[in-house]
Amino acid sequence: MLDPTSRYANLETATLTLPDGRVAAYKRRRFIPAGNALKVLAEVTVTEGDRLDLLTHRTLGDPEHFWRVCDANDTLNPFELMRETGSVVRIAMPEF
């Protein structure tokens, strides 16, 4: 159903029976881990023109793993991470 590296891949799948008898499957809620509890792979200083997808590809090997960087920095908004030149972004070790 989901890519094995998706942030939702390991979540339990639940079902709900609708009033008309159809069964709808869905993933349970994902709770975001505390960033300071994650092991740090690297800390990167944001430079002019940096993009989160490029940074994630360079450090984790997959541009779609930007959510791992968001988790490590306790943010839901990926755009906040790259907004300020000179800020430091934590890159967490992947957990599989």
Side-chain angles (χ1 to χ4, degrees), residues 17-32:
T17 302
L18 302 173
D20 64 4
R22 291 181 297 145
V23 176
Y26 64 95
K27 288 291 192 175
R28 295 266 186 201
R29 182 176 175 188
R30 175 180 180 264
F31 291 96
I32 300 170

Side-chain angles (χ1 to χ4, degrees), residues 55-95:
L55 178 127
T56 305
H57 182 266
R58 189 169 61 244
T59 57
L60 298 174
D62 188 336
E64 293 184 2
H65 284 208
F66 67 89
W67 59 271
R68 292 184 186 279
V69 180
C70 289
D71 285 357
N73 291 277
D74 297 319
T75 186
L76 295 174
N77 183 350
F79 297 104
E80 288 177 2
L81 294 173
M82 308 306 283
R83 186 173 292 154
E84 228 178 282
T85 300
S87 64
V88 176
V89 176
R90 297 176 71 228
I91 312 294
M93 293 285 293
E95 294 178 348

